[in-house]
Amino acid sequence: MSPPSLIDAHPNLTDAAPVALSYELFPPRSAAAAETLWTTIRELETTAPDYVSVTYGASGSNRDTAVELIHRLLLETTLRPIAHLTCVGNTPQELAGIIGELLDIGARGILALRGDQPKDGGQPAEGSLRYAQDLIELIRRVEQRRSALLCAGKIAVGVAAYPTRHPESPSEEHDIEVLLAKQRSGADFAITQVFFDAEQYVSLLTRARRAGVTIPIIPGVMPLTSLRRVTRLGELAGVEPSPDLLERLAAADNDIERLRIGVRATVDLANAALDAGAPGIHLYTFNEHQSALEVLDKLALPRHQRAASRHSVAARPQLAS
Ligand code: FAD
């Protein structure tokens, strides 16, 4: 019988993994939006997140601005960007080109997504990939071809997961089968769609683990601080917040009150997800830093210090809890 491994003999080595922190940003649509975004980026940078993710328009509608933003983040900040990439409407050849371009500028993380189907109900272009799973397999093939170039860091591939049924899916069970298939095709981690009831995340985690999904499933949480954002969320993700939260936001007298309500609800949600074993928190920022920073201040995440300096945050007046 072989002796126990040194790692098994020291179980504390693998205990208490630090909680990951990340933010979602989207590429700016105008010069003014770019200026606001860069203020946000500089503010978020002070919190030393583990990565930031950069969204991508379905069919590559904003390909150049997305790639340019990732390039600038790599060159001009200490942030580590991961690139969202959608496959709907694109052929494997086109996508292999984009993946190569992302790797060439230094990106080492890709969130592999299908993207939303065209709104006009038209069929995706012939020969285009159908599912996120196909994109994962393509990314792994490109990676294999470049393995010698990637000695200093392979590609981390993430995928989407759904605490409530994906609108096109027949059932939540089917969603779990799809998540398991994405893991088998090479996904390393998952980030969830927005949700507003912690039980939905807990249920996803339980069902996924029971089915054999072992990758980290990171809850994506969105500070809802305005009714305008709620409408946008319904349009984008088909997710409705709780009527109670909506009522409280609608009854608030001013923006500061709405910010306080949205931040409190997000902190409670994130804490409940962490209590259920969430390995990190991914904050949907809408390219605004104030609510994200308020949430972070109140969360008190057990995080490692990665050159974090919160000078600009400390100077800001804090919300009462
Ligand atoms: P898939 O996993 O391919 O699933 C799509 C549908 O097909 C589901 O109904 C699923 O059940 C079904 N399905 C999947 N595989 C199979 C199979 N093998 N057989 C049968 N049915 C199958 N959209 C953007 O356009 N840009 C972004 O940057 C972006 N970022 C996102 C980030 C996160 C964290 C999340 C959660 C979503 C994001 N989206 C983004 C939205 C996403 O593109 C949509 O939710 C899209 O409708 C589904 O994408 P998916 O990757 O989950 O697709």
Side-chain angles (χ1 to χ4, degrees), residues 24 54-59 84-86 111-117 130-133 159-162 166-171 174-175 178 181-182 191-194 236 282 284:
E24 180 185 281
V54 174
T55 66
Y56 191 82
S59 312
H84 296 208
L85 184 59
T86 61
L111 195 64
L113 302 149
R114 185 199 66 180
D116 286 321
Q117 301 284 22
R130 273 186 84 184
Y131 297 122
Q133 191 185 351
V159 291
Y162 297 89
H166 182 268
E168 293 163 44
S169 167
S171 65
H174 177 82
D175 284 340
V178 169
K182 292 197 271 197
I191 300 179
T192 75
Q193 183 58 282
V194 176
L236 286 176
H282 185 69
Y284 290 102

Side-chain angles (χ1 to χ4, degrees), residues 155-224:
I155 309 171
V157 179
V159 291
Y162 297 89
T164 53
R165 186 180 59 79
H166 182 268
E168 293 163 44
S169 167
S171 65
E172 290 187 342
E173 289 70 35
H174 177 82
D175 284 340
I176 295 292
E177 282 165 27
V178 169
L179 185 57
L180 187 61
K182 292 197 271 197
Q183 173 179 288
R184 287 203 184 109
S185 293
D188 296 306
F189 66 99
I191 300 179
T192 75
Q193 183 58 282
V194 176
F195 59 97
F196 294 98
D197 177 352
E199 280 307 312
Q200 292 164 343
Y201 173 74
V202 176
S203 162
L204 166 67
L205 212 53
T206 310
R207 289 178 289 115
R209 295 293 178 246
R210 205 175 284 150
V213 176
T214 54
I215 55 175
I217 302 177
I218 298 160
V221 296
M222 176 184 289
L224 265 196

Side-chain angles (χ1 to χ4, degrees), residues 2-15:
S2 56
S5 93
L6 282 177
I7 293 171
D8 288 344
H10 294 278
N12 289 345
L13 282 178
T14 50
D15 274 349

Side-chain angles (χ1 to χ4, degrees), residues 59 87-90 114 116-118 121-130:
S59 312
C87 61
V88 70
N90 285 117
R114 185 199 66 180
D116 286 321
Q117 301 284 22
Q123 288 303 308
E126 192 161 329
S128 67
L129 296 190
R130 273 186 84 184

Side-chain angles (χ1 to χ4, degrees), residues 26 45 96 101 113 124 128 158 169 172 181 188-189 235 246 251 267 277 283 285 289 317:
F26 58 83
E45 192 179 13
E101 195 179 343
L113 302 149
S128 67
S169 167
E172 290 187 342
D188 296 306
F189 66 99
E235 286 166 12
L246 290 182
V267 169
L283 276 164
T285 67
H289 54 273

